[in-house]
Amino acid sequence: DAKTTQPNSMESNEEEPVHLPCNHSTISGTDYIHWYRQLPSQGPEYVIHGLTSNVNNRMASLAIAEDRKSSTLILHRATLRDAAVYYCILRDYTDKLIFGTGTRLQVFP
Amino acid sequence: DADVTQTPRNRITKTGKRIMLECSQTKGHDRMYWYRQDPGLGLRLIYYSFDVKDINKGEISDGYSVSRQAQAKFSLSLESAIPNQTALYFCATSEGIKDSGANVLTFGAGSRLTVL
């Protein structure tokens, strides 16, 4: 299974944009890039996913590098409720979804 | 009601006891998963099932077994619990769009298990 690399932790101030990076240099052509987040004391929740093109939804944007070896999750205006662990995961057609340790995002008022 | 329901939410048991964690879903999804999370770590895949007759081992299946009783139900059993199985367990579901990595997971709230 292809692996991802993320920083252990990041910090942001409230209402500022946050760019969470993810490296996935061994990605294959059919792997989708998924992002999930886990709020304190909750199960993970889906944030966004993409294959090749940049994606936007109500929660975030996903910017995918042209060679697909890296991607960035963008929270346009961080709020205190965005403090969570963010997981970047590659998902292939076998449908196993292997999590790493993620990035812990702290948001300060 | 939650889309994915896990029971019990909390359980304390003793070494050697048999424990079953249950998961039920109302999303009509074919695919169900069991993950384990240890403090400060990410999630590790224990077992996954693509339909009632298709069950597969994940990264860490030793010491665990599963049963897919129906499309909506997927149970995880610890036949003889040991202390290092103390963890937070999550059930998840996803659609089964064939040959697609686009399927999105929906997680339950988790079952916290403590083995003394």
Side-chain angles (χ1 to χ4, degrees), chain A residues 32 34 36 38 42-44 46 49 87 91-101, chain B residues 31 33 35 37 41-43 48 50 59 90 94 99-105 107-108:
Chain A
Y32 280 75
H34 286 244
Y36 287 75
Q38 187 173 19
Q42 295 188 26
Y46 166 77
H49 76 280
Y87 297 98
R91 191 163 192 187
D92 65 15
Y93 70 95
T94 64
D95 225 20
K96 288 191 297 184
L97 208 157
I98 306 297
F99 285 74
T101 55
Chain B
R31 303 185 177 193
Y33 306 77
Y35 286 89
Q37 185 173 39
L41 299 180
L43 285 79
Y48 59 107
F50 285 179
E59 302 171 89
F90 288 102
S94 79
D99 294 337
S100 173
N103 296 318
V104 171
L105 287 177
F107 283 84

